[in-house]
Amino acid sequence: MLKLIKHLKPFIWSLVAIFALLFVQAMTDLALPGYMANIVNIGIQANGIENAVPEAIRSSEYDKLALFMSESDKSEVGTEYLKLDRQALSESDYTRYVAEYPYLANEPLYKLNTSDAAEVEKLNTIFLMPEFIVTMIEQKGSAIFEGTGIVVPEGIDPFTLIAQMTPEQIAAMSSTSNTSIASLPANIISQTSTVYLTKEYKVIGIDLVGIQSGYILRVGGVMLLITLLGAACSVAVGFLAARVAAGLARNLRKQIFERVEAFSNTEFDRFSTASLITRSTNDITQVQMLLVMLFRIVFYAPILGIGGIIKVIGSEASMSWIIAAAVMAILTMIGVMLIIAIPKFKIIQKLVDKVNLVMREILSGLMVIRAFNTQKHEEKKFDVANQDLTRVNLFINRIVVLLMPMMMLIMNVVMITIVWVGAYQVDAGKVQVGDMMAFMQYAMQIIMSFLMVSMVFIMLPRAIVSVQRINEVLDTEPVIRDPKEPQQFKGALKGQVEFKNVSFRYPNAEDDVLKNITFTVKPGQTTAIIGSTGSGKTTLIDLIPRFFDVTGGSLLVDGIDVRKVTQHDLREKIGYVAQKTLLFSGTIASNIRYANEKATDKDLEKFAATAQALDFIKDSGKGLKTVVAQGGANLSGGQKQRLSIARALAKSPEVYIFDDSFSSLDYTTDAALRRALRRETNNATVLIITQRISTIIGSDQIVVLDHGEIVGIGKHKELLESCEVYREIAQSQLTKEELAQ
Ligand SMILES: Nc1ncnc2c1ncn2[C@@H]1O[C@H](COP(=O)(O)OP(=O)(O)OP(=O)(O)O)[C@@H](O)[C@H]1O
Ligand SMILES: [Mg+2]
């Protein structure tokens, strides 16, 4: 997992942007419930009246409220209100004000003359209590004086009485009522003040519907903007996350590809081709998916969750225990699920590997399968792998599917509980309906964030396995490496290959395949290697381009140990025709040109002619443009061999290596090819492996291999006399007359 972070380095700025955007998105999500609560509490329930400060008030009411204000409060209010009096106003002002406040025609009004938020807030605290008290008095009438010893005469307005009291008396009276008021929830007082103001505005004739819809539209508009901002962030995050994840996947694929290119057979044996393919496709896709989730969910959920918790703690509704219980329930559920599912997730990638392996083998061996009529057997093999994968996949999916309804159940139980408990609290005046609704939304957000994180935890094990599998490939250092300080070929020698007491053992094998091999291959000469199958011929020449490193002795090319030069320099010198010919999909021209990009069509024809390939190329109608299928499947064995010889020729190397490259040719073509080759390769070193004596009779040097050891070196004639093994091979292939020659 830490390794993954290293790969993320190139995307650091995108990551920062993602983080910032997610933060903004979370903030927008967290802000919405608060606005919704305002719409319900103020917009709907309080007719859009936001605070206790009257926008306009009759002068008679103003006087009533003033009775319950301290002197300093009174002067504070006085400076912020403008008295609208018919006599004092100009005619035009008067008509304008009357349109807005029709009651001005009957009585002077006071109008709020400030919009400064701090000032309004100060006025709000001043007005709250008087408005509450006045409302109470109006509801209860003379009963308000109960317990104060004051007897209100019949038919006398309580306010007239209070107006005649001294400030001390009023203070004494309101303090007794204040003590009982203080125990009331703040909500009740503010709600009472809105009731007071609504009544007052109605009397004055202020457009209440206008205030209400104005408020709702304003808050709704803000909510809409916030939502749009959140949506924009979300889209941007999605965009960036997809880019980063896809970019990282691309980098990983590239790295794996480059690494695998440097692999020798030792590493291929370790990983198997099928597994390498799964690793560079399926595993990388897993990582890519994980990253997108990480960016969109794992980063997001904690911000949302923590933000939600902060909001809940700050809110008036004290139902946090419901959320805590729900989160516990979810964690338990996910925990149980993880314990069951994680082991299965680990298996899945291995099973995918297996399906790929079986599939690959079947596909590449289809001909053999048909020839032996073993389709049923192979089907069974595939079925087993396929079924295994299906079973595990289904198991996991069932668990994940189960998750959804259980989550919904928990969610719904939480909602019901909140409504249930919240209803009592609303009834008691502790919270308002809007707050309860907001609480529900925050609860939802918190639970959701836990849910998202736990979902990721379910996905994580599988992705971690994938990350590990990818890293395994990336961390594998190829056995064959370039030296730190490579030497250059610069001597006069061109194309000399020297085996000095070389021995070789395949990795994990028990015995040496080659023992004490010592001989020199000289430029301008043809050296042949002959020996029974399995005697180690291919192994021997595979050491020259460093497909493997010798395990004993040393191998020199142009006087320098092959391990002391770069693989690139070394292989530049070598034209290699493998025993198992391999062509690439494309055309004949593209295949020959593979060795030398600059070759013109004329050159290509020359090489093809030397390789005796021109005839069949011309016969095929399209000439050099003839299409070659993958692996050269649309060509015959001999045609493929000749094309790969032409490809080696196109490189004009110093050392030619032909590993049994004439085996599929008929004798006439074989002879013609060798004649042409001799002309073409006169200064170069030629190494020919063959089973045919006739191919090598004229060679300058023949090396006879038997069980990995040299049992004879020399020319044809000498070997016939001195080497038992060679004589046996010769006798089996040549007539008496030929032998006698
Ligand atoms: N990759 C490998 N891992 C382990 N052993 C191998 C590997 N390749 C070849 N061998 C073993 O090395 C020995 C020599 O194989 P090699 O391919 O060199 O024979 P050869 O002389 O080229 O045979 P042929 O004439 O059939 O091509 C064989 O016994 C073979 O089992
Ligand atoms: Mg071989």
Side-chain angles (χ1 to χ4, degrees):
M1 212 54 204
L2 280 176
K3 292 250 172 67
L4 195 63
I5 294 172
K6 193 183 72 196
H7 297 303
L8 279 172
K9 234 183 219 159
F11 304 102
I12 185 80
W13 288 112
S14 298
L15 289 184
V16 171
I18 288 177
F19 221 87
L21 286 168
L22 283 176
F23 191 79
V24 176
Q25 193 192 341
M27 287 306 121
T28 60
D29 276 351
L30 287 171
L32 286 176
Y35 284 99
M36 188 210 58
N38 280 346
I39 285 195
V40 174
N41 290 347
I42 300 171
I44 296 172
Q45 296 201 311
N47 300 315
I49 297 168
E50 287 173 73
N51 50 41
V53 185
E55 188 198 321
I57 185 166
R58 287 173 286 170
S59 54
S60 56
E61 282 299 310
Y62 182 90
D63 293 339
K64 274 191 207 165
L65 293 178
L67 288 174
F68 304 100
M69 290 181 197
S70 68
E71 285 307 315
S72 63
D73 283 354
K74 249 185 265 181
S75 63
E76 177 82 45
V77 171
T79 57
E80 303 300 345
Y81 275 86
L82 189 69
K83 187 161 188 186
L84 302 181
D85 199 340
R86 179 166 199 167
Q87 280 78 43
L89 288 169
S90 72
E91 195 54 36
S92 63
D93 278 350
Y94 175 74
T95 31
R96 189 159 55 80
Y97 282 126
V98 164
E100 207 176 334
Y101 312 119
Y103 201 78
L104 182 58
N106 311 336
E107 185 187 336
L109 300 180
Y110 284 93
K111 175 186 164 352
L112 181 64
N113 200 22
T114 180
S115 54
D116 177 49
E119 195 56 49
V120 171
E121 186 48 43
K122 211 193 271 173
L123 291 175
N124 182 40
T125 48
I126 295 175
F127 274 113
L128 266 174
M129 218 33 114
E131 284 172 6
F132 179 76
I133 297 171
V134 168
T135 314
M136 285 295 111
I137 293 175
E138 276 171 358
Q139 271 177 15
K140 295 191 181 171
S142 330
I144 196 85
F145 293 101
E146 252 168 44
T148 56
I150 299 171
V151 185
V152 189
E154 202 63 33
I156 298 273
D157 179 30
F159 289 104
T160 331
L161 196 71
I162 294 169
Q164 285 160 4
M165 287 157 62
T166 62
E168 290 77 33
Q169 283 175 311
I170 296 174
M173 191 193 81
S174 56
S175 77
T176 49
S177 51
N178 268 356
T179 44
S180 57
I181 289 167
S183 63
L184 285 173
N187 272 330
I188 300 253
I189 296 174
S190 64
Q191 279 170 24
T192 312
S193 77
T194 52
V195 171
Y196 173 84
L197 285 180
T198 312
K199 219 169 85 196
E200 181 63 18
Y201 288 170
K202 262 188 206 141
V203 175
I204 299 177
I206 295 178
D207 178 15
L208 265 175
V209 176
I211 291 181
Q212 183 169 34
S213 51
Y215 181 84
I216 293 178
L217 283 178
R218 203 167 63 242
V219 178
V222 173
M223 284 177 81
L224 197 64
L225 286 181
I226 291 176
T227 315
L228 285 179
L229 179 67
C233 286
S234 166
V235 171
V237 167
F239 179 77
L240 284 174
R243 260 179 61 134
V244 171
L248 188 112
R250 176 200 59 210
N251 291 356
L252 282 179
R253 268 195 300 272
K254 190 165 156 238
Q255 283 176 24
I256 288 194
F257 187 75
E258 277 168 4
R259 184 44 61 112
V260 170
E261 261 187 328
F263 276 4
S264 65
N265 294 32
T266 319
E267 287 86 34
F268 278 114
D269 284 349
R270 202 182 127 197
F271 286 112
S272 93
T273 322
S275 174
L276 281 175
I277 292 176
T278 323
R279 282 168 210 245
S280 51
T281 50
N282 188 306
D283 280 313
I284 289 188
T285 312
Q286 292 294 332
V287 174
Q288 191 177 343
M289 269 162 43
L290 171 82
L291 278 181
V292 173
M293 284 216 316
L294 267 181
F295 297 146
R296 306 206 60 171
I297 297 177
V298 178
F299 289 177
Y300 181 63
I303 308 179
L304 190 69
I306 294 172
I309 290 173
I310 292 173
K311 291 271 187 185
V312 162
I313 291 173
S315 88
E316 319 217 342
S318 58
M319 293 179 277
S320 312
W321 60 269
I322 300 176
I323 295 178
V327 167
M328 289 307 288
I330 287 176
L331 290 185
T332 328
M333 196 173 83
I334 302 267
V336 172
M337 195 161 294
L338 277 185
I339 292 167
I340 302 173
I342 282 187
K344 300 280 174 190
F345 274 119
K346 288 199 175 148
I347 310 175
I348 273 206
Q349 285 318 86
K350 281 219 185 83
L351 290 175
V352 173
D353 256 9
K354 209 160 143 214
V355 169
N356 277 2
L357 182 84
V358 177
M359 191 73 172
R360 226 183 90 87
E361 218 173 50
I362 291 176
L363 284 182
S364 51
L366 211 53
M367 292 298 176
V368 182
I369 294 171
R370 285 187 190 144
F372 286 89
N373 262 331
T374 44
Q375 285 99 327
K376 280 271 165 305
H377 173 73
E378 294 296 329
E379 264 170 38
K380 237 180 256 159
K381 217 158 79 180
F382 185 73
D383 242 19
V384 172
N386 198 5
Q387 291 290 348
D388 282 351
L389 182 63
T390 312
R391 220 181 3 255
V392 177
N393 259 331
L394 269 182
F395 180 84
I396 288 172
N397 276 321
R398 283 194 191 114
I399 290 189
V400 174
V401 162
L402 209 70
L403 200 66
M404 222 30 218
M406 279 163 77
M407 287 298 155
M408 290 313 290
L409 182 72
I410 293 183
M411 290 274 209
N412 291 333
V413 169
V414 166
M415 291 305 117
I416 291 172
T417 322
I418 291 179
V419 173
W420 186 301
V421 178
Y424 282 106
Q425 298 196 353
V426 170
D427 185 42
K430 282 194 212 144
V431 289
Q432 299 192 51
V433 181
D435 294 329
M436 191 189 77
M437 287 167 69
F439 188 86
M440 268 157 92
Q441 291 199 356
Y442 286 128
M444 198 75 109
Q445 282 172 343
I446 295 169
I447 293 173
M448 271 309 227
S449 67
F450 271 90
L451 212 76
M452 288 193 278
V453 173
S454 34
M455 282 301 225
V456 171
F457 268 103
I458 293 184
M459 298 285 288
L460 208 57
R462 186 165 178 196
I464 286 181
V465 173
S466 288
V467 172
Q468 280 167 352
R469 284 161 52 95
I470 292 169
N471 276 327
E472 248 167 47
V473 178
L474 293 180
D475 289 345
T476 304
E477 282 296 332
V479 189
I480 303 219
R481 256 169 298 169
D482 282 341
K484 284 222 173 63
E485 289 163 9
Q487 295 183 5
Q488 305 284 330
F489 289 112
K490 45 184 172 217
L493 285 170
K494 285 237 180 290
Q496 175 169 303
V497 180
E498 195 178 350
F499 286 85
K500 270 190 178 170
N501 205 15
V502 166
S503 57
F504 177 73
R505 175 182 300 193
Y506 278 108
N508 305 324
E510 298 198 341
D511 291 312
D512 284 357
V513 179
L514 297 172
K515 281 159 275 190
N516 306 321
I517 304 287
T518 305
F519 69 99
T520 307
V521 187
K522 294 221 172 62
Q525 290 194 351
T526 302
T527 299
I529 301 175
I530 193 164
S532 54
T533 58
S535 55
K537 304 181 298 293
T538 302
T539 311
L540 182 71
I541 53 114
D542 275 352
L543 296 176
I544 303 174
R546 264 193 101 192
F547 293 157
F548 297 98
D549 271 340
V550 297
T551 46
S554 57
L555 172 60
L556 312 183
V557 169
D558 291 351
I560 303 178
D561 193 309
V562 290
R563 287 167 289 189
K564 292 203 173 120
V565 295
T566 63
Q567 295 166 62
H568 183 261
D569 285 357
L570 175 67
R571 289 169 190 164
E572 272 303 278
K573 283 176 169 285
I574 299 169
Y576 181 87
V577 183
Q579 185 167 21
K580 209 175 136 200
T581 50
L582 182 89
L583 299 177
F584 295 101
S585 49
T587 60
I588 287 183
S590 75
N591 266 289
I592 304 180
R593 207 173 260 132
Y594 194 75
N596 180 3
E597 283 175 15
K598 294 190 198 93
T600 60
D601 279 0
K602 232 193 170 83
D603 293 338
L604 297 186
E605 280 184 19
K606 195 185 81 189
F607 299 130
T610 312
Q612 307 300 311
L614 205 54
D615 288 348
F616 85 81
I617 293 178
K618 289 213 162 124
D619 283 349
S620 70
K622 282 193 177 166
L624 286 170
K625 295 213 177 69
T626 306
V627 173
V628 176
Q630 191 191 2
N634 57 342
L635 296 172
S636 80
Q639 288 170 338
K640 275 192 279 188
Q641 275 193 336
R642 279 177 280 170
L643 280 186
S644 53
I645 292 172
R647 179 170 62 188
L649 286 169
K651 202 173 169 188
S652 319
E654 291 164 21
V655 182
Y656 286 94
I657 297 175
F658 299 108
D659 188 351
D660 225 355
S661 307
F662 315 119
S663 60
S664 302
L665 307 182
D666 56 75
Y667 281 86
T668 350
T669 317
D670 183 1
L673 174 65
R674 271 182 293 119
R675 267 197 307 279
L677 268 182
R678 209 165 305 137
R679 277 197 306 274
E680 203 55 39
T681 61
N682 46 8
N683 285 324
T685 312
V686 179
L687 253 168
I688 296 179
I689 293 181
T690 185
Q691 310 275 14
R692 286 186 197 166
I693 295 279
S694 61
T695 311
I696 57 165
I697 281 184
S699 303
D700 302 292
Q701 175 179 246
I702 298 171
V703 177
V704 187
L705 267 189
D706 192 36
H707 290 105
E709 281 177 289
I710 295 181
V711 290
I713 275 195
K715 295 204 177 197
H716 176 64
K717 285 237 170 65
E718 301 162 14
L719 286 172
L720 271 183
E721 271 154 37
S722 63
C723 181
E724 174 70 34
V725 178
Y726 189 75
R727 197 162 45 236
E728 274 170 20
I729 301 174
Q731 275 165 356
S732 68
Q733 293 184 15
L734 302 177
T735 58
K736 286 230 170 69
E737 297 82 63
E738 284 171 319
L739 279 172
Q741 265 176 17

